Amino acid sequence: MKAVRTPEENRRISWFCFFATLAFLGLVLLLDQLIKPTSPMYMLLTVLQKGSVYALAAVSMNLLNGCTGLFSLGHAGFMLIGAYTYAIFTIPSASRDTVYQYYDAAVRFSFPEVFGNAMGPAGTALGVLVAVILAGLMAAAFAYLIGLPVLRLKSDYLAIATLGFAEILRAVCQWQKLGPITNGSNLLKSFARVSKFKLVLGSTKLTLSTFVPVLIAAVSIMIIVKLINSTYGRAFKAIRDDEVAAEAMGINLAKHKMISFTVSSFFAGVAGAMMAMVLSIAQASNFKSAMTYEILLMVVLGGIGSTSGSVIGSFLFVAASEWWLRGLDSGTFLGINAPNIFRNGFRLVVFSVIIMIVVLFFRQGIMGERELTDVWLNRRRARQKKKEAGK
């Protein structure tokens, strides 16, 4: 069970989380400067970049599935909307004819250019931020429209409806009639991406390729946590536990389900924009239903209902699949050279076995419904009781 906190403990935990987040961001900024592309530790930056994307996506899915009890499988679709929105509105004007080589681009301006011309480098950064927020708003708008009919469904029916929406959306984005907007089945590129994010301070140039996605994810997750701990979050959990009892207490089920669905989709759209930043391309074929299943797996591994668990599960998933087990596809792993065993695709086999073991022995995930702050608080109380008993 979660520990019941006093107001003083809540304040201490809030300040602890704030300073811990600042320290982590400072560490990421330092790693950005120290680790070069030729370094053997460069994969650490890749894990931090992709891990931050999936962490935000998993936390936003956990808000819907874990906190509200709505089983939705449309996350990849909302991330697709976010990625395309961000890419379309950040492609430089000079590159549009090259990117849309088979179509006449319908959008002829770029937010970073518009704000950059008016405000300089700060305006360019503001333009990127505006595009990210717009990506979330577009995903939330689609979520509101699709939520009007589908949120009347429950359980598996809701999952099938949202999964179908994501697949339809992926097909529509590749429709040739929408080519002037989405570029059809061709990829979008040349937009603002993490490899170009730098900060010039006099003669010093700071690389921000990892810092920016981690910062966006950290701020977004903090906002989600604030929502979960608010009266709206308590209403979400009441709906998850018992809809009949929640309605009897005066909770408007339709209203709160819609809020949860649109907020979750907003941050899924932001995660999609971050995905485009990290991958440097936006293409509908990348946002298949398998992406939703991977995000759901991260939520389950971390613990359904635990924000900390979703973050931990995301980084562990990305680190294991992208870095630690990579040698299983190249013929050499942990100093063992066995090309007949360690061949292309073997990494996925081992990874699947590890996931099965974790699911079998940690059925509630790594954290269950607990948060890291609950673990810290319980240990702190235990130490206090020992001190009091020893006096």
Side-chain angles (χ1 to χ4, degrees):
M1 289 182 62
K2 289 189 176 183
V4 178
R5 305 170 184 169
T6 65
E8 178 62 25
E9 288 172 337
N10 279 328
R11 283 193 293 270
R12 288 186 178 182
I13 288 174
S14 297
W15 281 111
F16 172 78
C17 293
F18 176 74
F19 286 114
T21 302
L22 285 183
F24 180 67
L25 290 172
L27 176 61
V28 171
L29 182 61
L30 180 63
L31 292 175
D32 243 346
Q33 316 314 312
L34 296 179
I35 300 178
K36 306 301 179 184
T38 56
S39 171
M41 290 296 292
Y42 189 72
M43 278 302 299
L44 175 60
L45 297 184
T46 302
V47 169
L48 289 172
Q49 291 171 5
K50 290 188 176 182
S52 62
V53 175
Y54 280 109
L56 177 55
V59 170
S60 64
M61 176 179 278
N62 195 34
L63 171 65
L64 189 62
N65 291 10
C67 293
T68 316
L70 298 177
F71 188 33
S72 169
L73 293 177
H75 239 55
F78 298 121
M79 291 179 70
L80 183 151
I81 294 172
Y84 267 73
T85 302
Y86 174 81
I88 290 169
F89 288 100
T90 57
I91 297 175
S93 300
S95 302
R96 289 196 178 265
D97 290 335
T98 303
V99 175
Y100 289 88
Q101 54 183 327
Y102 301 111
Y103 306 97
D104 183 18
V107 179
R108 306 299 302 185
F109 69 93
S110 165
F111 282 129
E113 282 185 345
V114 171
F115 287 97
N117 293 335
M119 303 170 59
T124 302
L126 178 61
V128 171
L129 178 60
V130 169
V132 171
I133 294 175
L134 181 61
L137 291 175
M138 287 294 293
F142 272 87
Y144 179 80
L145 294 176
I146 192 67
L148 291 174
V150 304
L151 288 182
R152 299 178 182 180
L153 304 174
K154 295 182 180 180
S155 188
D156 298 343
Y157 300 103
L158 176 61
I160 294 171
T162 51
L163 178 62
F165 160 74
E167 289 299 304
I168 292 171
L169 185 62
R170 186 164 62 89
V172 168
C173 283
Q174 300 178 82
W175 187 30
Q176 299 301 317
K177 297 291 185 180
L178 290 178
I181 299 175
T182 63
N183 205 22
S185 58
N186 306 301
L187 57 84
L188 294 172
K189 57 183 180 179
S190 301
F191 49 81
R193 52 194 185 275
V194 293
S195 59
K196 300 295 183 181
F197 293 160
K198 300 182 186 299
L199 178 63
V200 180
L201 299 174
S203 59
T204 304
K205 182 180 290 186
L206 298 179
T207 301
L208 304 177
S209 59
T210 306
F211 178 78
V212 169
V214 172
L215 175 63
I216 295 174
V219 172
S220 300
I221 291 172
M222 288 174 64
I223 294 173
I224 294 175
V225 170
K226 285 292 184 181
L227 176 63
I228 292 174
N229 293 330
S230 69
T231 55
Y232 284 101
R234 289 190 283 274
F236 296 158
K237 293 176 183 178
I239 293 173
R240 175 196 64 188
D241 295 336
D242 192 327
E243 287 191 8
V244 176
E247 190 172 23
M249 289 188 295
I251 296 175
N252 188 323
L253 298 184
K255 173 186 173 182
H256 285 83
K257 285 182 179 181
M258 182 62 76
I259 291 174
S260 177
F261 192 56
T262 52
V263 171
S264 173
S265 302
F266 173 86
F267 287 107
V270 173
M274 292 167 57
M275 179 74 77
M277 286 184 195
V278 171
L279 298 181
S280 300
I281 61 170
Q283 191 170 24
S285 59
N286 291 335
F287 296 89
K288 298 179 180 178
S289 56
M291 177 178 288
T292 298
Y293 301 145
E294 287 181 352
I295 298 170
L296 180 60
L297 177 60
M298 296 171 197
V299 174
V300 173
L301 286 177
I304 298 178
S306 172
T307 303
S308 305
S310 296
V311 175
I312 293 171
S314 301
F315 278 101
L316 286 178
F317 181 94
V318 174
S321 60
E322 297 284 340
W323 188 14
W324 297 337
L325 302 180
R326 180 65 67 177
L328 293 173
D329 283 351
S330 61
T332 303
F333 183 68
L334 297 177
I336 302 174
N337 186 19
N340 293 329
I341 299 177
F342 302 150
R343 60 179 65 186
N344 189 33
F346 191 68
R347 169 174 56 100
L348 297 177
V349 175
V350 175
F351 189 57
S352 300
V353 172
I354 293 174
I355 291 173
M356 289 176 61
I357 293 173
V358 172
V359 171
L360 287 173
F361 291 96
F362 296 90
R363 297 196 176 185
Q364 292 186 333
I366 297 171
M367 296 297 296
E369 290 189 5
R370 300 174 301 166
E371 303 291 347
L372 288 176
T373 52
D374 296 323
V375 176
W376 174 81
L377 183 58
N378 288 333
R379 289 183 177 179
R380 185 173 180 275
R381 287 176 172 176
R383 288 195 299 267
Q384 286 180 339
K385 287 183 179 179
K386 286 184 179 179
K387 287 181 180 180
E388 292 172 358
K391 290 182 179 180

